[in-house]
Amino acid sequence: MDQGRSDRMLGALGAGIRERRQSLGLTLKDVEGATGLSHPFLSKIERGLSRPSMRTLTLIADVLGTTAHALVALGSAEDFGGVQRRSALEVEHSTGMARFLVRGAWPFLPVEYRSGPSEFEEYYTHAAREMIYVASGRCEMEVEGHGTFKLGAGESLFYGGHVKHRWRQLNKGSLRVLLIQESLEATATLGPDQPERSRPPR
């Protein structure tokens, strides 16, 4: 992606975060106190001068009552995105990168992960329903109260995001995973907590 487009996308992300924060009547100091992230760092993110990691976006999103996926979508409104090659926003995630594939007010918010942590990290929880689809490689998803699920290429799992969940990479080679959330702005309903798994036909 060219630097100019990258800067514009970071600017849009920062503007979306700032607008969401202000609509909730929160100050940067409020977000600092809730997340442990410094006031100057948060200010740079909102001004599009710093690229946050996925974990940082998640911390901010928790305070703002949304998700990292939705924060990125808030930064723009596109009715037609065209073919997505290298034009999507990328942020650091564990040992690799996460690529946001949709911007604007869409009911689905997919993010592509090209690698994952080798060990389980902190749990994620949020109000949006979610599914994980493995395009290549192998990973393991842990959903609290339901156990762990080993997933290979072509397999998927969906679950209520308000149930604690986390995942890790099992193979040592390449991994491509799609993590797809529903948009909180598109629907306020939650489905059943019970995870359901889909496998490709044999």
Side-chain angles (χ1 to χ4, degrees), residues 50-71:
S50 182
R51 184 184 299 271
S53 67
M54 179 60 77
R55 180 55 67 181
T56 294
L57 280 175
T58 299
L59 289 173
I60 295 171
D62 286 345
V63 178
L64 302 184
T66 186
T67 68
H69 294 222
L71 275 183

Side-chain angles (χ1 to χ4, degrees), residues 38-194:
S38 73
H39 185 289
F41 180 49
L42 291 167
S43 178
K44 284 184 177 180
I45 291 174
E46 289 196 356
R47 287 181 289 144
L49 301 178
S50 182
R51 184 184 299 271
S53 67
M54 179 60 77
R55 180 55 67 181
T56 294
L57 280 175
T58 299
L59 289 173
I60 295 171
D62 286 345
V63 178
L64 302 184
T66 186
T67 68
H69 294 222
L71 275 183
V72 174
L74 284 173
S76 61
E78 294 191 1
D79 292 329
F80 179 73
V83 176
Q84 297 296 299
R85 293 187 178 92
R86 298 187 179 275
S87 61
L89 180 66
E90 294 185 340
V91 301
E92 291 183 2
H93 169 73
S94 301
T95 58
M97 300 295 290
R99 189 164 71 110
F100 291 83
L101 302 179
V102 166
R103 299 180 303 278
W106 292 87
F108 52 89
L109 304 171
V111 175
E112 178 195 50
Y113 294 84
R114 279 167 277 175
S115 72
S118 59
E119 300 295 336
F120 284 126
E121 298 179 340
E122 297 177 32
Y123 283 107
Y124 287 90
T125 57
H126 44 78
R129 291 176 292 190
E130 186 172 82
M131 72 168 288
I132 185 171
Y133 172 79
V134 181
S136 64
R138 296 177 63 246
C139 70
E140 183 175 35
M141 172 68 76
E142 180 179 358
V143 184
E144 190 175 68
H146 301 285
T148 59
F149 303 84
K150 290 182 172 60
L151 302 171
E155 296 184 331
S156 61
L157 185 75
F158 64 89
Y159 43 88
H162 57 292
V163 182
K164 288 184 177 180
H165 57 279
R166 56 187 181 177
W167 66 280
R168 63 174 179 167
Q169 182 171 342
L170 293 178
N171 62 300
K172 295 187 180 297
S174 64
L175 174 74
R176 283 184 182 266
V177 163
L178 280 180
L179 204 61
I180 305 169
Q181 285 182 5
E182 67 175 343
S183 170
L184 294 173
E185 279 64 38
T187 175
T189 61
L190 285 175
D193 292 346
Q194 183 65 41

